Amino acid sequence: MDYENNSWIWEGVNYYPCVFGGLMVTAALLGLSTSYFGGIGVPYLSLPCSWSNLGIFHQKKSGKRRIRVYMDGCFDLMHYGHANALRQAKALGDELVVGLVSDEEIVANKGPPVLSMEERLALVSGLKWVDEVITDAPYAITEQFLNRLFHEYKIDYVIHGDDPCLLPDGTDAYAAAKKAGRYKQIKRTEGVSSTDIVGRILSSLRDQKNCEDHNGTEVKPQEENQSKASHIAQFLPTSRRIVQFSNGKGPGPNARIVYIDGAFDLFHAGHVEILKRARELGDFLLVGIHSDETVSEHRGNHYPIMHLHERSLSVLACRYVDEVIIGSPWEITNDMITTFNISVVVHGTVAEKTLNCELDPYEVPKSMGIFHLLESPKDITTATVAQRIMANHEAYVVISLTQLFFSRFCFLNI
């Protein structure tokens, strides 16, 4: 530690050596009596004031420099695996900078992205662990770009998953960062990938088309079960993972609690923007996430694409969300409003189409005068994301197969 010089101390030592010597010996004995002998009955003696209060030593305040880490990716079809990777990256430093590959770079290297740069930016910047986003990140990290990261953005470490990431020429995409000693690795999230999600979407849309082709005839139970089994997620939820994504904080005693519910399937930019607006209406945002059974009942057997706990993690990762109800009811009741001390219930103007519209799920909050209809900032929905993929079906099948082949070699550039 660095300490400021006090000349009067040394003058005192010269003129009154016995006094200062006695003080030092006394301090040493007191230190021994309270620490070393504290467990064997030597009484604790307290000084009337500390050495710092006497002004003998003034410790200089040295501000610790914050560690900045960098992680890049396309982050197309953003899912909880991406969020968990960024959560792990943030844990390796103090500030997380995310490199977002441009649309042009993705088209040149992989084919057209599902989501635009604007939509991907909204998703990435909406994550609670992200501090800064670079929107002109290259698809392949070059030594020139690394130098830019180190000097312009003051990056200390480049982070990537534990899968090797190889460029088309077979070289390691992160070789320069490793050579510089500025590379750190995180564990890949098993059970989900963008390739898997594209497969689920295509399977779901095929199921929907098959149902329409039956022209109202009854679908056999075994066919329906086979259809659902074809896109079952491999994700196994744990309480630890939910805690990792959660804020861990409840509302204050006089907090204005805002409630919004939905399926939040294929978590997209529209979800982020409506959650942001909902949060601005109060102090605490509580989000109800409908169960798989509820979503299927109101939207059809081919939904949801993502299952309940997957959707819950995606919503929890959003910086505007304070708490979620996993498997919330379709209809908001008086008892529910009282239990969670809900001040206002909101719903966006843009929503997915429902099959059963006989009952208004917001009838109770409307009668209580606490319902608020929010203008949705974006018109994107789960259905429109799925339709974008189906519109170029053959191209996405080729891309999916290619990604499936290379997914073992490059994790976050999915």
Side-chain angles (χ1 to χ4, degrees):
M1 296 182 183
D2 297 327
Y3 296 97
E4 297 177 358
N5 293 324
N6 291 278
S7 59
W8 65 270
I9 297 175
W10 307 114
E11 291 175 2
V13 171
N14 291 330
Y15 288 105
Y16 308 102
C18 294
V19 174
F20 273 76
L23 286 171
M24 293 302 177
V25 172
T26 302
L29 290 174
L30 287 172
L32 287 172
S33 67
T34 57
S35 59
Y36 186 81
F37 296 109
I40 57 175
V42 178
Y44 172 77
L45 299 175
S46 60
L47 290 174
C49 53
S50 65
W51 288 109
S52 59
N53 289 337
L54 288 173
I56 294 180
F57 296 115
H58 295 288
Q59 184 177 351
K60 286 184 177 179
K61 293 182 179 179
S62 55
K64 181 182 176 183
R65 195 178 74 81
R66 294 176 66 80
I67 302 299
R68 287 168 62 84
V69 295
Y70 172 84
M71 193 170 210
D72 65 357
C74 301
F75 301 107
D76 200 17
L77 285 181
M78 189 84 176
H79 52 71
Y80 66 90
H82 292 132
N84 191 47
L86 295 173
R87 179 193 65 80
Q88 292 180 77
K90 178 63 177 283
L92 296 176
D94 301 303
E95 296 176 359
L96 174 59
V97 180
V98 177
L100 197 57
V101 178
S102 68
D103 292 345
E104 294 75 19
E105 285 274 287
I106 298 175
V107 170
N109 289 276
K110 299 177 62 175
V114 179
L115 306 178
S116 67
M117 167 59 78
E118 181 188 0
E119 291 167 340
R120 292 184 291 119
L121 178 60
L123 282 165
V124 173
S125 59
L127 288 177
K128 61 176 66 174
W129 302 288
V130 176
D131 298 294
E132 186 178 340
V133 180
I134 300 173
T135 57
D136 61 345
Y139 186 81
I141 294 182
T142 62
E143 191 167 343
Q144 181 182 2
F145 183 69
L146 276 178
N147 289 330
R148 183 183 168 198
L149 289 178
F150 296 153
H151 296 97
E152 181 180 341
Y153 292 98
K154 309 300 180 185
I155 299 298
D156 295 284
Y157 296 102
V158 174
I159 316 296
H160 189 68
D162 55 8
D163 296 4
C165 186
L166 304 179
L167 298 175
D169 61 2
T171 59
D172 186 352
Y174 296 90
K178 292 176 180 178
K179 184 179 179 181
R182 309 278 283 273
Y183 176 86
K184 288 190 177 184
Q185 198 165 271
I186 60 168
K187 184 174 178 58
R188 184 186 189 278
T189 304
E190 299 295 338
V192 67
S193 68
S194 297
T195 303
D196 168 56
I197 294 173
V198 169
R200 292 194 219 177
I201 293 171
L202 294 176
S203 176
S204 174
L205 291 175
R206 281 195 299 269
D207 296 345
Q208 185 178 4
K209 187 176 186 302
N210 289 338
C211 289
E212 292 173 353
D213 289 344
H214 277 81
N215 294 323
T217 60
E218 185 178 356
V219 180
K220 295 180 181 180
Q222 62 267 29
E223 292 180 3
E224 184 176 325
N225 291 335
Q226 289 174 0
S227 171
K228 289 184 177 180
S230 66
H231 51 87
I232 291 178
Q234 301 302 312
F235 172 63
L236 298 176
T238 63
S239 58
R240 180 170 173 267
R241 181 54 50 81
I242 293 174
V243 169
Q244 288 172 339
F245 275 54
S246 175
N247 286 344
K249 297 179 181 179
N254 299 313
R256 180 177 170 83
I257 300 175
V258 180
Y259 179 77
I260 185 171
D261 63 358
F264 297 97
D265 200 11
L266 289 180
F267 196 73
H268 52 68
H271 292 140
V272 175
E273 296 296 340
I274 198 67
L275 291 173
K276 180 180 179 180
R277 289 204 174 182
R279 182 62 175 79
E280 291 170 351
L281 295 178
D283 308 304
F284 191 92
L285 181 59
L286 176 64
V287 181
I289 304 172
H290 296 150
S291 68
D292 296 342
E293 294 76 16
T294 299
V295 176
S296 294
E297 179 185 349
H298 292 276
R299 295 205 56 213
N301 289 328
H302 48 282
Y303 285 105
I305 305 295
M306 308 296 287
H307 301 292
L308 177 59
H309 287 91
E310 296 177 305
R311 293 181 283 119
S312 298
L313 288 181
S314 293
V315 174
L316 273 174
C318 181
R319 67 171 69 249
Y320 309 112
V321 176
D322 295 293
E323 181 64 287
V324 301
I325 300 176
I326 301 176
S328 64
W330 177 259
E331 185 179 352
I332 301 173
T333 63
N334 197 353
D335 182 60
M336 180 180 170
I337 292 171
T338 303
T339 300
F340 292 100
N341 197 26
I342 296 171
S343 305
V344 58
V345 176
V346 301
H347 187 64
T349 53
V350 174
E352 307 289 343
K353 293 181 180 179
T354 58
L355 302 178
N356 303 320
C357 303
E358 296 178 1
L359 297 176
D360 182 0
Y362 304 103
E363 182 179 351
V364 172
K366 285 178 179 177
S367 67
M368 297 173 65
I370 62 171
F371 179 80
H372 185 76
L373 189 63
L374 275 179
E375 184 70 29
S376 298
K378 295 182 180 295
D379 59 1
I380 182 175
T381 64
T382 300
T384 59
V385 172
Q387 288 164 5
R388 291 182 194 182
I389 294 175
M390 200 62 178
N392 199 4
H393 185 123
E394 294 182 1
Y396 279 117
V397 169
V398 173
I399 292 170
S400 297
L401 292 174
T402 304
Q403 288 179 340
L404 183 62
F405 180 79
F406 286 106
S407 62
R408 297 178 181 270
F409 301 100
C410 189
F411 165 45
L412 277 181
N413 282 337
I414 295 178

